[in-house]
Amino acid sequence: MSKAISPFFFNSFPKSGTHLMFQILTGIHPITFDQKLHLYEGISAQLAGHQRELEKLKENEFLSGHIYFSPSWVKLLQDLDMKQIFLYRDLRDVVVSYNYYIEKVNAPLHQYYQKKQMSKKERLLSIIRGIPEAGHLGIHDWFSEFKGWLTAPNVLSVKFEDLIRSEDSLDQSVHKVVQFITEGELENLDIVIKRAKENISTQDSATFRKGKIGNWKEEFDDEIITAFKETAGQLLIELGYEKDLLW
């Protein structure tokens, strides 16, 4: 690496391969991050605290989080001259992954599902449609809180699928990430990409399950597919995962 890397922010939609991107980023020597500090949501009451944490970053460091899009956050990153990487995924696979995550991790919905004794199908439908009484948005409205980052300035958007589809796709994605955060000022690009890829280990993640493309096909029945199409079918088309509703 020919020069220090300016601090940056890594943002992701939940259950979109966050840990995989951690490994790629920390494989780019000498980048480091605080694994204990993860910023959430980004509602206005939290903005000042988030700003303080971002201002603490030194060269070759980054912070991560699941931060909603907002003009205030856009301005914050612009004022700090800070780049953002935004990771997202096919929302059908997010629904499946989130269901398994809730099952084994004491997340906000864990106690709710236990109390209601809901079946797996009922849980999947509730994640798709939303649970007002538990304060949980449906998958369309949940992603809509993040969607603005796809067109925000100084943001590199990355699809999870591009990191695992093929070796060539992974190479291209890591190349884009490295070029983005280093502004192209680096030496031995091939070596940097090789180190980033070598740092990938799915066994090291406490929340990693399968990380497959299209795992929803094994979990969704016709009723769940219909519910998803009604709720977020057009959003899938907008994100480039489907051309129409005939899937």
Side-chain angles (χ1 to χ4, degrees):
M1 202 72 66
S2 57
K3 60 173 270 187
I5 298 171
S6 298
F8 63 95
F9 182 65
F10 164 45
N11 195 14
S12 61
F13 188 64
K15 309 314 298 173
S16 291
T18 303
H19 191 78
L20 176 58
M21 184 60 84
F22 282 161
Q23 294 179 333
I24 291 171
L25 293 173
T26 53
I28 303 170
H29 183 76
I31 289 178
T32 61
F33 79 111
D34 185 349
Q35 298 186 51
K36 298 176 183 176
L37 182 61
H38 197 67
L39 308 184
Y40 288 94
E41 294 183 341
I43 56 178
S44 57
Q46 300 169 316
L47 193 65
H50 290 170
Q51 180 174 344
R52 286 192 295 272
E53 296 300 336
L54 291 171
E55 288 175 341
K56 292 178 185 176
L57 290 178
K58 301 179 178 66
E59 290 181 335
N60 303 321
E61 293 181 342
F62 73 95
L63 270 183
S64 63
H66 301 311
I67 295 293
Y68 295 165
F69 172 84
S70 71
S72 298
W73 247 85
V74 172
K75 184 177 185 304
L76 171 58
L77 293 176
Q78 287 178 330
D79 289 347
L80 295 174
D81 193 23
M82 191 171 289
K83 295 174 181 286
Q84 179 189 162
I85 294 169
F86 176 61
L87 181 66
Y88 64 106
R89 182 185 191 183
D90 186 324
L91 298 177
R92 293 165 294 192
D93 284 332
V94 168
V95 168
V96 172
S97 180
Y98 193 60
N99 176 56
Y100 281 104
Y101 171 77
I102 292 168
E103 234 182 1
K104 68 178 183 178
V105 177
N106 195 17
L109 286 180
H110 181 79
Q111 299 295 337
Y112 177 85
Y113 284 151
Q114 282 195 326
K115 181 179 179 180
K116 295 289 185 178
Q117 296 185 318
M118 297 170 73
S119 67
K120 181 170 76 171
K121 179 173 180 175
E122 289 172 331
R123 294 196 306 268
L124 290 170
L125 286 169
S126 71
I127 294 169
I128 292 168
R129 293 170 172 158
I131 316 169
E133 63 184 278
H136 189 74
L137 297 173
I139 192 66
H140 175 278
D141 292 347
W142 192 16
F143 187 81
S144 294
E145 295 285 359
F146 293 80
K147 192 171 69 171
W149 290 122
L150 295 173
T151 54
N154 226 16
V155 176
L156 174 67
S157 296
V158 179
K159 285 185 176 181
F160 167 76
E161 291 78 11
D162 290 339
L163 300 176
I164 64 171
R165 179 175 289 108
S166 67
E167 196 75 16
D168 184 56
S169 179
L170 174 61
D171 285 347
Q172 291 181 36
S173 297
V174 174
H175 189 164
K176 288 177 184 176
V177 168
V178 172
Q179 290 278 48
F180 180 69
I181 61 178
T182 65
E183 298 180 342
E185 296 188 28
L186 72 166
E187 300 170 352
N188 302 317
L189 177 60
D190 290 342
I191 294 176
V192 172
I193 293 175
K194 183 173 181 289
R195 286 175 179 168
K197 289 168 58 182
E198 288 175 345
N199 203 46
I200 295 173
S201 173
T202 57
Q203 305 304 314
D204 293 337
S205 172
T207 58
F208 184 87
R209 196 178 64 87
K210 286 188 177 181
K212 288 172 57 179
I213 295 174
N215 193 39
W216 63 270
K217 295 174 184 177
E218 302 170 13
E219 304 280 346
F220 284 15
D221 63 13
D222 289 344
E223 183 181 351
I224 298 174
I225 288 173
T226 298
F228 195 100
K229 287 179 180 180
E230 292 173 348
T231 305
Q234 289 298 326
L235 184 54
L236 276 187
I237 296 171
E238 185 181 338
L239 295 175
Y241 286 101
E242 295 290 349
K243 294 181 179 179
D244 50 42
L245 295 176
L246 304 176
W247 48 270

